[in-house]
Amino acid sequence: MSISDNSIRVGIRHIKAQIPALEPVISKAPRFDLTPNVPNPAAAFESLVLSVISQQISTSAAATISGRVQKAMRGTITPLKVQRLSSQAFRELGVSGSKARTIFELAAAVREKRIHLGELADMTDAEIISELSAIWGIGKWTAEMFLMFDLGRLDIWPAGDYGVRKGWQIVHRETEMTSEKQFNELGTEGSPYRSIAAWYCWRAIDLHKTGAI
């Protein structure tokens, strides 16, 4: 599965035109490169578990804890392996109690066939968000990350993501970060390529740290 090069070119031109503040980032950052994972049930489950682990912690902390969990499960995170671990084992790996509960809930939903991860690719963005949000502890942000990085959907605007909002603040040279509600409305200008705009907002943070913008 891949996003066509033509779609990326058209999307980048659209974002430059509709959100000109991102143009300096687009010109200096690496070209938009979102290669979605193969949307099979096994990969989808592991990706969702790792997204849950990553919620509200730094990238480095998420990578460390995710590595521990993968090592504990001998490389592959599956519903059965999850159910074989105790809550205490997850805590010892650095996973909070609430996140462990979410992971257990997801594993149970998959094994009991209350959710069919292999069918998500055929659903609309809104349907997928609704389906995943039905699992305790999985919210809109986790579903949006899945839509972007696993399914390659190009019109996702994760207004609740701190990094995207921070990048927007940087490129627009605003003194305060926009509220999530206002930010959600601002993103409409980038439709139907809001994922590209969000991706460059993340890159804006990297460039700002180096003084490039």
Side-chain angles (χ1 to χ4, degrees):
M1 180 181 179
S2 62
I3 302 172
S4 73
D5 191 65
N6 183 61
S7 294
I8 294 174
R9 284 199 303 270
V10 171
I12 290 175
R13 285 200 300 269
H14 179 81
I15 296 305
K16 282 183 176 180
Q18 297 300 315
I19 310 177
L22 281 172
E23 198 282 331
V25 181
I26 294 171
S27 65
K28 295 179 181 179
R31 186 171 182 264
F32 173 80
D33 180 20
L34 184 61
T35 304
N37 297 320
V38 178
N40 63 67
F45 179 79
E46 181 163 284
S47 178
L48 285 168
V49 169
L50 296 178
S51 287
V52 169
I53 290 172
S54 300
Q55 291 173 0
Q56 298 180 323
I57 59 176
S58 68
T59 301
S60 59
T64 298
I65 297 171
S66 295
R68 290 175 190 158
V69 173
Q70 289 173 315
K71 183 177 180 180
M73 297 190 189
R74 299 186 178 182
T76 306
I77 302 172
T78 69
L80 181 58
K81 289 179 181 178
V82 164
Q83 292 183 326
R84 285 176 174 169
L85 281 185
S86 66
S87 296
Q88 179 60 34
F90 270 107
R91 283 195 292 272
E92 290 173 357
L93 294 170
V95 180
S96 69
S98 60
K99 289 182 180 180
R101 178 183 171 184
T102 299
I103 294 169
F104 282 127
E105 293 277 354
L106 177 62
V110 171
R111 297 203 70 202
E112 294 167 9
K113 303 187 186 307
R114 288 184 279 114
I115 185 171
H116 301 276
L117 297 179
E119 298 176 2
L120 295 181
D122 298 322
M123 297 181 182
T124 66
D125 296 343
E127 288 171 339
I128 291 171
I129 291 173
S130 177
E131 185 85 357
L132 293 177
S133 297
I135 306 297
W136 189 93
I138 292 185
K140 190 177 181 183
W141 179 86
T142 301
E144 288 170 336
M145 295 302 103
F146 180 81
L147 284 164
M148 287 181 66
F149 294 101
D150 286 81
L151 299 183
R153 300 292 174 89
L154 287 176
D155 196 27
I156 305 303
W157 188 241
D161 186 273
Y162 175 85
V164 175
R165 287 162 58 201
K166 183 64 178 178
W168 181 277
Q169 178 188 5
I170 289 170
V171 298
H172 286 87
R173 303 185 185 282
E174 297 171 344
T175 57
E176 295 182 1
M177 191 178 295
T178 306
S179 70
E180 182 176 339
K181 182 179 180 180
Q182 291 174 315
F183 191 60
N184 191 55
E185 295 171 355
L186 290 171
T188 58
E189 296 178 354
S191 188
Y193 296 101
R194 290 178 294 176
S195 296
I196 295 177
W199 193 87
Y200 279 114
C201 282
W202 281 319
R203 302 289 78 75
I205 296 174
D206 300 332
L207 291 173
H208 185 66
K209 287 178 180 177
T210 64
I213 61 170

